[in-house]
Amino acid sequence: MSKITTARLLAMKQARQKIAMITAYDATFATLFEQAGVHAILIGDSLGMVLQGEDSTLKVTVADIAYHTRCVANGSEKAMIVADMPFMSYSNPEQACTSAAELMRAGAHMVKLEGGDWLTETVTQLTRQGIPVCGHLGLTPQSVHVFGGFKLQGRDTEQADQIKRHARALEAAGIQLLVLECVPSQLATDISQALSIPVIGIGAGPDTDGQVLVMQDALGLTSGYVPKFTKNFLADNGNVAAAIEAYVAEVADGRFPGPEHSFN
C-alpha cells in the first residue's frame, strides 16, 4: 500500500474504491492495522469510553488525543492519521487552530470536528493554516446530551434536509472528508452522491465511500450494549490481523455493512 493522502482518498472515491478506516490508540495496533490494509486510522475521542471507562466522550482532552496520536504515528508509515478534536476544544476559530496545531505536531494528518454549518468559519480558518479537516454529521457523540442519548438522526424529512444542508456548507468551507454516523441509508447515499469529497459511514448503510469502526467493536471487545452497526470480525477469524483483513475486504466488496447493520 502506498502512502494514503487526501488526494489518494479523493481518487478512491472517484474510482468507486471503498475506504476502510478504523480507530486505534497505540503503535502496536496502528502497525497491525496498516499491514492489514486499512487506509485511515482515527484516534477517536471514543477512547474516553473504551480506554478510560467513561460513559461518554466529553471528558477527553486535547492532551489525551495528542498522546495517543503520537503513539499511533510512531506505528504507522502509510495510513492517513485522523485525530478527533475533543469536546469544547474548537469553540471558536482561534481555539480550534491552537488545538489542531497540537494534534498535527503529534503526528495527525487531519483533524475531525463534530457539527454543522456553524463551523464553516472555523473550517475555513483551519484550512487556510494548512490543516486538513474532516467533518462529522448525524449522531455526533459530543452532543449526546442535546440529542437525549445515542439516537438515529435524520429520520424525518426536516432532519434529513438539515443534515444535507450542513454537509454542503462544510464542503464549501473546505472539509476534505466527512463522517456520517447513525443516519438512514438513503440519506447517506444521497449525501455521498451529492458531495465531491469522500463520505465515510458508521451506521450509515453500504453506499457511502467508506466505513469506519471503533476497533473494540470490530474485534468483539465491547461489553454490554453492542451497537446495531457493528460486527465482530474476530469471531470468524483466527487472530486480530485476519479479522482486520476481513473487515477491509468486506468493506471493499460491499459485504459490510449489510442490511442488518443499517437503518432504513
Side-chain angles (χ1 to χ4, degrees):
M1 182 174 71
S2 59
K3 191 169 182 63
I4 304 298
T5 63
T6 54
R8 172 76 183 278
L9 295 180
L10 180 58
M12 290 180 70
K13 176 186 175 85
Q14 294 168 343
R16 298 186 178 181
Q17 298 172 344
K18 296 287 189 176
I19 298 163
M21 177 187 281
I22 195 167
T23 67
Y25 315 98
D26 66 27
T28 299
F29 279 106
T31 299
L32 187 153
F33 293 167
E34 185 174 288
Q35 291 173 347
V38 165
H39 304 103
I41 296 173
L42 172 64
I43 298 86
D45 57 6
S46 53
L47 68 86
M49 302 174 76
V50 299
L51 297 187
Q52 297 174 342
E54 303 289 351
D55 61 1
S56 75
T57 65
L58 302 185
K59 294 182 182 179
V60 176
T61 66
V62 174
D64 291 335
I65 298 290
Y67 170 81
H68 289 283
T69 298
R70 188 170 292 107
C71 294
V72 166
N74 287 340
S76 173
E77 295 181 356
K78 297 178 181 178
M80 168 74 73
I81 298 174
V82 183
D84 257 341
M85 297 272 277
F87 177 67
M88 291 303 294
S89 68
Y90 50 98
S91 60
N92 57 63
E94 293 74 20
Q95 184 192 27
C97 287
T98 299
S99 301
E102 184 172 348
L103 300 181
M104 297 294 283
R105 292 188 187 105
H109 304 134
M110 175 181 282
V111 298
K112 181 167 77 63
L113 312 178
E114 296 183 9
D117 57 8
W118 59 90
L119 289 173
T120 55
E121 183 181 355
T122 295
V123 171
T124 299
Q125 185 62 24
L126 286 169
T127 56
R128 282 175 179 167
Q129 300 299 326
I131 299 173
V133 180
C134 174
H136 186 154
L137 292 171
L139 173 58
T140 48
Q142 291 173 17
S143 301
V144 62
H145 294 310
V146 175
F147 294 146
F150 296 95
K151 299 179 178 180
L152 182 71
Q153 302 298 306
R155 288 173 291 183
D156 56 45
T157 300
E158 182 179 356
Q159 281 189 346
D161 288 345
Q162 184 179 59
I163 293 172
K164 290 177 184 178
R165 185 175 69 253
H166 290 318
R168 290 191 293 267
L170 290 171
E171 181 181 38
I175 65 167
Q176 293 178 284
L177 199 66
L178 177 66
V179 169
L180 282 180
E181 181 170 356
C182 283
V183 300
S185 297
Q186 187 59 55
L187 173 59
T189 300
D190 293 345
I191 292 173
S192 299
Q193 292 175 349
L195 300 188
S196 62
I197 60 171
V199 176
I200 308 297
I202 177 168
D207 296 323
T208 54
D209 304 303
Q211 300 293 327
V212 60
L213 282 180
V214 173
M215 59 169 279
Q216 282 82 358
D217 291 337
L219 298 175
L221 300 177
T222 304
S223 61
Y225 171 72
V226 178
K228 170 186 173 72
F229 52 78
T230 67
K231 178 178 178 178
N232 179 358
F233 287 89
L234 188 58
D236 296 324
N237 295 278
N239 55 58
V240 172
I244 302 306
E245 288 173 359
Y247 166 62
V248 173
E250 291 193 23
V251 169
D253 64 18
R255 283 178 290 161
F256 179 81
E260 67 274 25
H261 309 115
S262 307
F263 301 97
N264 295 323

